[in-house]
Amino acid sequence: MINKRMQGLGEARSVIREIFEYGNRRKREIGADKVFDFSLGNPNVPPPAVVNARIAQLIAGEDQTSVHGYTSAAGAPEVRRAVADYLKNTFSVDMTEDYIYMTCGAAASLTVTLHALLSGGEEVVVIAPYFPEYRVFIEQAGGVCREVGAAEDFHLDLAALDSAIGQNTAAVILNSPNNPTGVVYGEGELRALAALLARKNAEREQPVVLIADEPYRELTYGAQVPQLLALYEHTVVCYSFSKSLSLAGERIGYIAVSPRARGAAQLYAAVCGAGRALGYVCAPALFQRVVASCLGQSSELAFYQTNRDLLYGALTEMGFSCVPPEGAFYLFMQAPEGDAAAFCARAREHELLLVPSDSFGRGGYVRISYCVARETIENSLPAFRALAKSYHL
Ligand code: PLP
């Protein structure tokens, strides 16, 4: 017997992964330097030196057994304390280790949080365009994925959110800095959303929870990322070190439940219960200890910023229209004739591998990941120029 839903998820390859696999095949055919793969969001800047120094220190230390052993299910107490202290001191918010749960990255933070919140049939609002796995995670937790379009500038459309959020809304997922648009939500719009939710909550028994999906928090180029724990009491932060410390394959992150949330202790217990039911046991023990020493740090942002400036400057100069990227490492570019799939197919003829925006719940754009080698961007510009020319830009 096979679960058909799981089989379907396994067989329906992610569009992004498919492009990435095509890129690898194509590189073998014509040479790696002739294919410009902008598909994946895999950090290509090494972790800051403190990461490797801490790993070396931990594995050379006296505590050879427990450093690789199970930790408490929620995480090693000293690690949870370090995370709580960091959040409290950096953002002036209430936090203790009793509300921190260490996870295997943002994906696990999200699936655990959604399982903790949903009993079956509730809606979870996502802002389109959105990270495609949200739908998979929400539906697996028994919820309904409710897409609400972003405003024209890809910031929050508060009127659309107002009409979409109803009695059956359990949560809203916010991702800032945003994948795929690179937008960073400002304090004004977030305060307005918090006020909107407070108004909705007055008519409800259970408040709407804000899920702050923050794997890109540190990756900004000047913009401030407001801390939602400070702006809205019913917030759950789903954090990850995958992008900030270039540790995507090591699977490490955390959940921070706002102690001010209604029923915060019960919600945190449900987080622990969901982690248990999903079989996570505990987050990777070595990397829990590593990240506890690297809180708030990031890989070399200047590298991504130079890539961003180079690509954004060149593409807009060629006549393409792009959302000005303020954070993360993605450029969201309009498909000149509106058909993202057709544009990607033509780009592929020039060996440019771009991701059509349809898989993010919004047509007419492509996502370009600029966490790539500098030469990939520099060498791709003639191909982009030829592509622009073919559209008479
Ligand atoms: N959320 C968003 C918006 C992402 O872009 C990603 C990864 O690309 C994730 C969550 C998952 O991150 P992690 O690798 O930490 O599980």
Side-chain angles (χ1 to χ4, degrees), residues 105-107 110 131 134 175 179 213 215-216 240 242-243 251 330:
L110 288 163
F131 179 54
Y134 287 164
N175 169 225
N179 173 10
D213 177 27
Y216 303 98
S240 165
S242 293
K243 317 285 175 165
R251 315 307 304 139
Y330 306 107

Side-chain angles (χ1 to χ4, degrees), residues 23 40 62 108-109 121 127 151 172 177 184 187 211 224 256 265 271 279 316 322 339 344 356 366 389:
L40 274 196
E62 281 166 21
S109 300
I127 316 288
V172 177
V184 175
E187 186 168 332
I211 299 176
Q224 290 296 316
V271 163
T316 47
C322 306
D339 181 339
C344 287
V366 294
K389 225 173 177 180

Side-chain angles (χ1 to χ4, degrees), residues 7 40 54 117 194 214-215 263 274:
Q7 185 184 343
L40 274 196
R54 185 71 179 130
L117 289 172
E214 300 196 332

Side-chain angles (χ1 to χ4, degrees), residues 71-76 79-80 83 99-114 213 215 236-242 247-257 268 271-272 274-276 278 280-289 291:
T71 66
S72 299
V79 173
R80 287 161 52 210
V83 172
Y99 294 95
I100 302 294
Y101 182 90
M102 300 305 294
T103 65
C104 303
S109 300
L110 288 163
T111 52
V112 167
T113 299
L114 289 164
D213 177 27
V236 177
V237 172
C238 290
Y239 185 84
S240 165
F241 298 90
S242 293
L247 292 177
E250 304 298 354
R251 315 307 304 139
I252 187 75
Y254 62 78
I255 295 170
V257 174
Y268 182 76
V271 163
C272 297
R276 178 182 171 196
L278 291 167
Y280 280 116
V281 183
C282 67
L286 178 65
F287 276 88
Q288 287 189 43
R289 272 80 177 222
V291 297

Side-chain angles (χ1 to χ4, degrees), residues 301-371:
L301 280 182
F303 180 85
Y304 294 132
Q305 183 159 4
T306 305
N307 275 7
R308 176 196 76 151
D309 294 346
L310 185 62
L311 197 59
Y312 179 76
L315 293 179
T316 47
E317 198 255 334
M318 288 174 205
F320 289 112
S321 173
C322 306
V323 180
E326 303 170 273
F329 36 50
Y330 306 107
L331 197 59
F332 208 51
M333 184 168 92
Q334 225 165 345
E337 285 169 0
D339 181 339
F343 180 61
C344 287
R346 196 182 299 183
R348 206 178 265 208
E349 290 168 14
H350 297 268
E351 311 299 348
L352 293 164
L353 306 186
L354 317 177
V355 180
S357 64
D358 308 70
S359 46
F360 298 94
R362 166 82 189 246
Y365 284 77
V366 294
R367 189 190 77 172
I368 307 176
S369 290
Y370 56 83
C371 51

Side-chain angles (χ1 to χ4, degrees), residues 110 113-114 116-118 122-126 161 165-174 193-194 197-198 200-201 204 206-213 228-229 232-238 255-258 260-264 267-268 271:
L110 288 163
T113 299
L114 289 164
L117 289 172
L118 305 178
E122 304 95 332
E123 286 185 352
V124 177
V125 169
V126 300
L161 283 163
I165 295 168
Q167 285 296 332
N168 199 27
T169 309
V172 177
I173 301 181
L174 287 189
L193 175 64
L197 294 180
K200 299 273 180 186
N201 290 342
R204 303 161 48 106
Q206 289 301 323
V208 178
V209 169
L210 259 189
I211 299 176
D213 177 27
L228 283 168
L229 287 167
Y232 183 68
E233 56 198 318
H234 314 292
T235 290
V236 177
V237 172
C238 290
I255 295 170
V257 174
S258 169
R260 299 190 297 140
R262 191 173 309 158
L267 176 52
Y268 182 76
V271 163

